[in-house]
Amino acid sequence: MDLSNVEQSPKMTLLANYQVPRYLVDEALLHFDLDKSKTRVISTLKMRLNPESSAGECVLDGESLDLISIKLDGKLLSDSEYEVNSKSLTIAEVPEQFELEIITEIHPDQNTALEGLYHSGRLLCTQCEAEGFRRITYYPDRPDVMTVFTVTIVADAKQWPVMLSNGNLEEQGQFNDGRHWVRWHDPHPKPSYLFALVAGDLYCQQDHFRTMNGRDVTLRIYVDPENKHKCDHALVSLKQSMKWDEEVYGREYDLDVFMIVAVNDFNMGAMENKGLNIFNAACVLATPETATDDDFYTIQSIVAHEYFHNWSGNRVTCRDWFQLSLKEGFTVMRDQSFSADLNSAAVQRIDDVNGLRSMQFAEDAGPMAHPVRPDSYIEISNFYTVTIYEKGAEVVRMIKTLVGDEGFRKGTDLYFDRHDGQAVTTDDFVKAIEDANSVDLSQFKRWYEQAGTPELSVKTHYDPVQQRFSLILRQSCPATPGQENKLNFHIPVAVGLLDSDGNNMPMQLAEEVTPYDGDTRVLSLTETEQTFEFIHVSEEPVASVLRGFSAPVKLKYDLTNKQLAFLMGRDTDSFNRWDAGQQLMINVLLEIVDDIQKQNTLALSPLLLSQLEAVLNDEQLDPALVAKMLTLPTENYLAAQMPVADVDGIHQAREFAKRQIAISLKPLFNARYESLSKQKKYQFNAEDMAARSLKNLCLSYLAATDDPLQMQRCLRQMKVTDNMTELLAGLRLMVDQAGPEREHALRAFYEQWKHDRQVVDKWLSVQAVSKLPDTLLRVKALMKHEAFNIKNPNNVRALIGQFCRNNPVHFHAKDGSGYRFLAEQILVLDKLNPQVAARMLGALNSWRRYDLERQELMKASLEQIATQKDLSADVYEIVTKYLAA
Ligand code: TRP
Ligand code: ZN
């Protein structure tokens, strides 16, 4: 397509062009006269020339601001002394040290992009990461400019009784005219992206935490008054996080108060602003009646994630946005191990890897593929990706695997100590680990630099005479946009050998004199191909490779279905046990797809059935693991395993398999469902969660038998339960069956919960992922429902996002209706909220992997978007990259 008529081409930022800031800010005094339609900001900046730079014009970032006045060292500047355009303010001449006073006006109630200061419900709040601060005032809005902020807020006392910012509350007072004021001071120098301000009529729940050095920290959660009963879980999670970071990383909190605010309109999950975390209400509020186990679990991990940023992100921050994974990858890895420690480590690992494979592997194989440390971007908001977060976490995890737990702790201690108060790079992080452990990670660093998911292929050879077993490991990595040829990675491969009874075998390498002590050992693959030879191997083992998913690679290991079944039943590594089961299911399901394409009669593998039966019968196994092992891979993940994704074939195959399993094992599902149905008051703990997950899984199989009695069972579960986990599971199943019961259940659910936004979003989502044929029409109708507001990102994600990402048969409808729908919505959204619009486009990431007819239709939708005038940089970048690849 000819894109030359696309007027705007926003400019690219390159890592290679990084330059230190010319001017630094030693102190920032911000004064806000708050009002929802017109807020006045007076910013006083004490600035000086950076000794590492050289004098020149002073350029400040600023967007969508009304500039009122600028004073340099107390003297008002005339129009000719500065220049303003839509992105910046330039002052041609400044002394080496100077004070700027800049007055701007902003309009929070017109801010639908939700960056900068905006109005949400009845409150005012900010979102500054990555580049939102420049929508509040002119400023060097980059993370390597770190400043001590003092913030004064003045506003009407009735409308804005609570006024918050970072740090400690220093002073407050009243004016005679009904306004009041507060002054907050944050002693820790920070970049502007960590600035936050909140004002509103908020309820506050308070608690305390005593730190390891005996300091008392006040904890506060601020929410809309109607949510005051929903704070307990987040507070418990916060205290758990504070304790864990002290115990595991030796990190103590550093202010007297830690605040969390819940807001209804938010582009992401939450934000780690210093001392004042702001959360998407859906990621912090929970009661058993309104939130599912998954919600409770996610909230615990997001509270931890944001809290952990206080060290990995705030005390030590990023030099520039190319280093984003420095804080995000590390912090995700930290929250994942926190969750593993507090819940089931095996389940946590399975979920993390499942997410990585289904989302990140797809990103890494598509047109937006980028390294964990990218080297260019057009819009930084587009780089808050699963690669930066989840693959970044895997990279840090591999480092930990390579240096060991103790070595890793020595490394992070050195990192925090060495770089406290600095803005640094991923190289600095790796260097600290290297220095603390005297190891060389130079080859390992390619994980930060090269995009694409490496393939790890495994061949084995057994010599019964010599009693030697060879493991031949080989690596390769596909080309990605801008990176044709890849250098070898340093891949830690955790391996175990199993004998025919499923016992671990000793693993002594030929070059070693003493036996290896341990069941799993980590081999380092650094070359294209390496052979690892084990001696004294008394029978031919089955190798259990990549235990615990020790590296984010695609494993090519041609085990027979029988060997997979063996590992599924016997592997001592629970991750690999699950993974062998998944691989077996994939093999079986893809064979069924093949049979569907050839119009053969379909049958389900008896081997798979007997394995599933054994798992379901295993009373020793954690019920949460049983549920995971009985869950079929998603249609999206199956699609990614085919050279050309057959949407309808996959759907049909998966439905067929599910039904066959359900019918064959019905008595077992029945029995386990009933035995798990003992009435018990809801509690959020690993054991009860495990029981509910298995119970709901059994119900979903029972519902797949098409036995009308099972719908009654769903209804009964919905009626008697005291929690949303079981209520929603029932509703979800009912929504896939056409008929009056379905409509009645949906109506009753809505009537009961229409006052609760978090629950209403679930109600939208279950309808968006329905299997019924008229789902798109219903989604369109729901967009006109009182429950839906296109300006609210949670509504958009719940309805449009769920339909496009998690309802593949309908989104990929052959007539292109799903694609046209998405294109239309993106064009509407782009005018309101470019970040959300760009995220929705992600549903088309893998468009080249479908049949030619669908590709044409998707391409037409992408072109329709690309040719639109005045696209945001966000959507522009993604749509052009999709079309170019
Ligand atoms: N730093 C936040 C986190 O991961 C991410 C974030 C929150 C964000 N809000 C945002 C990123 C808005 C970009 C835009 O914890
Ligand atoms: Zn984060």
Side-chain angles (χ1 to χ4, degrees), residues 345-355 574-575 578 625 628:
V347 169
Q348 177 68 28
R349 191 62 189 142
I350 289 167
D351 286 347
D352 289 341
V353 174
N354 229 347
S574 35
F575 174 81
W578 168 81
L625 275 180
K628 295 280 169 209

Side-chain angles (χ1 to χ4, degrees), residues 25 27-32 40-46 60 69-71 99-104 133 136-139 149:
V25 184
E27 234 190 292
L29 306 176
L30 302 179
H31 178 106
F32 288 84
R40 179 172 276 241
V41 184
I42 307 171
S43 161
T44 309
L45 307 176
K46 298 215 164 65
L60 303 178
S69 68
I70 316 172
K71 279 183 191 167
E99 187 180 290
L100 278 183
E101 188 208 83
I102 304 169
I103 304 183
T104 50
F133 191 75
I136 294 173
T137 181
Y138 288 100
Y139 194 83
F149 283 83

Side-chain angles (χ1 to χ4, degrees), residues 127 129 268 270 272 305-306 309 327-328 384 389 835:
Q127 171 55 41
E129 187 177 8
M268 304 270 283
E272 71 264 24
H305 179 97
E306 306 311 331
H309 268 316
K327 74 176 176 80
E328 297 304 348
Y384 286 74
Y389 278 66
Q835 283 184 17

Side-chain angles (χ1 to χ4, degrees), residues 371-442:
V372 169
R373 187 192 63 196
D375 28 43
S376 72
Y377 59 77
I378 291 177
E379 171 52 62
I380 185 56
S381 300
N382 286 331
F383 284 77
Y384 286 74
T385 60
V386 279
T387 298
I388 302 296
Y389 278 66
E390 270 68 31
K391 186 178 182 179
E394 293 298 322
V395 170
V396 177
R397 190 175 190 275
M398 285 190 284
I399 295 179
K400 187 168 176 234
T401 302
L402 289 171
V403 300
D405 289 359
E406 266 176 52
F408 189 68
R409 172 65 194 270
K410 274 196 279 174
T412 59
D413 280 352
L414 180 61
Y415 168 73
F416 288 127
D417 185 47
R418 187 185 271 176
H419 298 296
D420 191 8
Q422 297 178 4
V424 303
T425 63
T426 54
D427 285 337
D428 293 318
F429 178 78
V430 175
K431 183 81 168 51
I433 312 275
E434 287 181 319
D435 290 354
N437 291 278
S438 312
V439 288
D440 177 4
L441 295 172
S442 43

Side-chain angles (χ1 to χ4, degrees), residues 509-545:
L509 287 168
E511 60 270 24
E512 292 170 339
V513 283
T514 47
Y516 177 80
D517 143 52
D519 295 338
T520 299
R521 77 179 290 174
V522 179
L523 308 172
S524 272
L525 176 64
T526 53
E527 293 170 32
T528 306
E529 183 177 302
Q530 273 166 264
T531 299
F532 297 87
E533 213 176 351
F534 297 98
I535 53 176
H536 310 310
V537 184
S538 54
E539 63 169 291
E540 174 155 21
V542 176
S544 167
V545 182

